[in-house]
Amino acid sequence: MFFNSFSFAIFLPIVFLLYWLVFAKNKTTQNAVLIVASYYFYSCWDWRFLFLLVFSTLLDYFSAIMMENSTSNKKRKLWLWITIGINLGFLGIFKYYDFFAQSFADLLLGFGFQTNPVLLKLILPVGISFYTFHGLSYVIDIYYKRITAERNFIDYSLFVSYFPLLVAGPIERATHLLPQVKIKRHFNFEKAKEGVYQIIWGLVKKVVIADSCAAYANAVFDNYESMNSLSLILGAVYFAFQIYGDFSGYSDIALGTSKLFGIDLLKNFNYPYFSRDIAEFWRRWHISLSSWFRDYLYIPLGGSQGGMWMKVRNTFIIFLVSGFWHGANWTFIVWGLLNAIYFLPLLLQDKNRSNMGEIEMGWNLGSIKTILNILGTFVLTTIAWIFFRAKSISEAIGYIQRMFTDFHFESQYLNNERYNFELLLLVLVFVMVEWFNRSKVEPLSGKASWVKVTLAIIALLVLGVYSDYKEFIYFQF
């Protein structure tokens, strides 16, 4: 069941009405109906993996209580590592086993040893990377006594399985979400209206921008060997907007949906393509994952407290792990490595926190520099996205090599019966709308909101891509 599907358009109003009209008596009934809805939502993907979700929930719930009840640090640490080991073990088996087995076989082949690795070829449970990290942050916080263990199983189950964030985040923290699910929610019309606006804008990002860009990006990437420089540049740019529209659109729908139930989720995107350097980009892109790695990996490794060598080492570890988190392919690792290399000059010059404030523009040379910095950051990010999109490292290198050596810039007619520049105007309009509304959660609220909502709905009906049905990219992670 996708957020942009007809089935979800039926599912959401039913849950909304049951939640507020039938089960609004207290927080227990509210949480119970959300848990049932969440398990049904997840079972629509593959009901068999529902057992894995329930097992993960039970494991972290009881491990946290055992940690809190332990009288010695040795027992607390034992329970922590048992929980981490089992959680990462499941993640490793489903997501990474075949990658390591095949990579090891390829390594042996390079030395002349032919092997036939045993591959499991398992279906990856949707959302496993996200709900695993939900649970890990919880048990780690319990271990360090930042929070107390949740004894109410219904409340904790909702924290893990809450359907708006279940399959693609944002990656929530117990300190933020659990206090909200432990109290009765009261209907707030203004918050619900904000949620509707955010859902509509998220759908625009997904159906109008991301899926339109996907048609072009796929045609270029799938036939890159016959594409000229202009087509390859546009293909990379279109993929950059595809993945942004796709993932940030999902996050907007998730946050908006949650507001309908009176629950706020963590902000996951903050107009990342308006970043002035790579460090700022990673403070604006997939914020919940970046902050998770900062708090639960970077800081425990020593963070920025040691010398420059430790800072560089920890930065590269974070980016490489982040790349590997996205998928079991060397292309994701190279993507993470590239971002670490981009980040390195800022770190060495102690400028990685230079652009912390909001972007201020005026008629001056400083504004020109800001625009150039934004464009430069976008170019670097787009080049890295080529590795993210490519099926292999050799394909990504071939794509980039041809992009910079072909030197032909005439428009090409693609095999999807479109010219590759037709989408540029739509993308430019989208960028301008976001630019002039970058201080807001979404562009539809504020003055003349009903006009803007009407235009957004018209865009969905007229420009939305529905015939070529596409799931959200981050569902595969």
Side-chain angles (χ1 to χ4, degrees):
M1 186 190 299
F2 300 109
F3 280 174
N4 55 329
S5 66
F6 180 71
S7 56
F8 186 77
I10 297 174
F11 168 82
L12 182 57
I14 292 174
V15 177
F16 178 82
L17 292 174
L18 288 174
Y19 179 83
W20 288 117
L21 299 181
V22 181
F23 296 96
K25 182 179 179 180
N26 53 56
K27 68 99 175 176
T28 301
T29 55
Q30 287 180 325
N31 291 351
V33 73
L34 288 179
I35 290 173
V36 172
S38 298
Y39 283 168
Y40 171 77
F41 177 81
Y42 193 74
S43 68
C44 288
W45 302 98
D46 192 325
W47 64 269
R48 294 170 297 178
F49 293 132
L50 194 58
F51 296 103
L52 187 61
L53 173 62
V54 172
F55 175 81
S56 178
T57 303
L58 288 168
L59 171 69
D60 297 335
Y61 172 77
F62 285 111
S63 295
I65 293 175
M66 295 303 295
M67 265 194 288
E68 190 168 79
N69 292 341
S70 297
T71 56
S72 67
N73 286 331
K74 186 176 181 180
K75 287 184 179 179
R76 290 172 61 85
K77 186 172 289 187
L78 175 63
W79 277 106
L80 174 67
W81 284 110
I82 287 174
T83 307
I84 291 176
I86 294 175
N87 274 300
L88 294 184
F90 276 117
L91 186 61
I93 290 172
F94 279 100
K95 192 169 183 177
Y96 299 111
Y97 171 82
D98 284 2
F99 169 77
F100 282 118
Q102 188 62 59
S103 296
F104 185 66
D106 292 341
L107 178 64
L108 291 178
L109 186 61
F111 289 98
F113 297 98
Q114 178 72 42
T115 60
N116 295 308
V118 177
L119 302 180
L120 301 179
K121 297 182 180 180
L122 297 173
I123 300 172
L124 182 66
V126 65
I128 187 172
S129 297
F130 290 91
Y131 68 70
T132 297
F133 273 36
H134 289 158
L136 286 178
S137 68
Y138 170 72
V139 294
I140 293 172
D141 284 346
I142 297 294
Y143 175 78
Y144 286 109
K145 299 182 180 180
R146 297 166 184 157
I147 58 175
T148 58
E150 178 55 55
R151 306 289 171 142
N152 187 312
F153 184 68
I154 292 178
D155 293 351
Y156 180 73
S157 297
L158 182 58
F159 162 70
V160 176
S161 63
Y162 187 37
F163 76 87
L165 57 77
L166 179 56
V167 296
I171 301 172
E172 269 291 345
R173 306 292 182 88
T175 52
H176 180 253
L177 184 55
L178 268 176
Q180 296 184 76
V181 304
K182 289 185 68 62
I183 60 174
K184 183 179 185 295
R185 278 79 65 188
H186 299 278
F187 183 74
N188 184 312
F189 177 76
E190 288 302 318
K191 176 175 280 192
K193 185 170 71 172
E194 291 173 7
V196 172
Y197 288 167
Q198 204 162 358
I199 290 171
I200 293 173
W201 186 244
L203 286 171
V204 170
K205 284 182 176 180
K206 167 60 179 172
V207 178
V208 177
I209 301 300
D211 289 350
S212 294
C213 287
Y216 290 80
N218 292 343
V220 173
F221 273 87
D222 292 345
N223 303 279
Y224 76 94
E225 293 175 323
S226 62
M227 296 287 112
N228 62 27
S229 290
L230 176 62
S231 295
L232 294 171
I233 291 170
L234 289 176
V237 170
Y238 289 145
F239 178 71
F241 280 98
Q242 177 195 352
I243 194 167
Y244 169 63
D246 190 282
F247 193 21
S248 71
Y250 172 90
S251 294
D252 281 336
I253 299 171
L255 269 67
T257 298
S258 188
K259 286 178 180 178
L260 295 179
F261 301 102
I263 297 174
D264 291 315
L265 299 181
L266 292 171
K267 188 175 184 178
N268 217 18
F269 286 85
N270 187 22
Y271 304 102
Y273 288 157
F274 300 145
S275 302
R276 292 155 287 187
D277 58 45
I278 288 295
E280 185 181 17
F281 175 83
W282 282 106
R283 288 192 294 271
R284 291 171 173 265
W285 178 278
H286 204 174
I287 300 168
S288 64
L289 179 67
S290 300
S291 61
W292 197 100
F293 280 127
R294 179 198 64 204
D295 295 341
Y296 298 105
L297 187 58
Y298 183 75
I299 292 176
L301 286 171
S304 302
Q305 299 303 311
M308 184 55 69
W309 159 246
M310 181 178 286
K311 293 179 184 178
V312 172
R313 182 203 68 180
N314 294 344
T315 297
F316 272 79
I317 289 174
I318 290 299
F319 278 108
L320 289 173
V321 172
S322 176
F324 200 45
W325 177 89
H326 282 85
N329 193 317
W330 287 106
T331 55
F332 295 115
I333 297 175
V334 173
W335 170 76
L337 178 63
L338 265 180
N339 277 280
I341 294 171
Y342 292 162
F343 193 93
L344 186 59
L346 297 171
L347 184 64
L348 294 176
Q349 299 175 73
D350 197 26
K351 293 183 177 180
N352 53 301
R353 299 184 70 81
S354 297
N355 295 308
M356 298 294 293
E358 294 299 320
I359 301 172
E360 296 182 3
M361 299 295 293
W363 298 100
N364 52 53
L365 292 177
S367 296
I368 296 175
K369 180 183 177 182
T370 297
I371 293 173
L372 291 176
N373 287 340
I374 290 173
L375 290 174
T377 303
F378 178 74
V379 168
L380 291 176
T381 303
T382 300
I383 291 174
W385 282 136
I386 294 173
F387 284 90
F388 195 98
R389 170 60 177 78
K391 298 181 180 69
S392 64
I393 293 176
S394 60
E395 180 180 306
I397 292 174
Y399 188 106
I400 295 172
Q401 184 178 32
R402 185 168 178 82
M403 183 169 65
F404 286 110
T405 59
D406 178 77
F407 295 120
H408 288 87
F409 296 93
E410 66 272 11
S411 179
Q412 290 183 283
Y413 195 61
L414 303 180
N415 61 2
N416 60 357
E417 299 181 355
R418 297 170 179 173
Y419 286 101
N420 58 23
F421 59 81
E422 292 175 340
L423 188 58
L424 273 179
L425 180 61
L426 181 61
V427 170
L428 288 173
V429 170
F430 171 72
V431 170
M432 295 303 292
V433 169
E434 291 225 315
W435 174 259
F436 288 112
N437 292 276
R438 63 187 184 277
S439 62
K440 299 164 60 177
V441 173
E442 36 69 27
L444 303 182
S445 56
K447 295 180 179 179
S449 59
W450 67 273
V451 175
K452 290 181 283 188
V453 169
T454 301
L455 291 174
I457 293 174
I458 292 173
L460 286 171
L461 296 175
V462 176
L463 301 174
V465 176
Y466 301 101
S467 58
D468 187 11
Y469 192 79
K470 297 177 179 67
E471 64 181 62
F472 289 86
I473 294 174
Y474 266 69
F475 281 14
Q476 64 185 293
F477 305 137

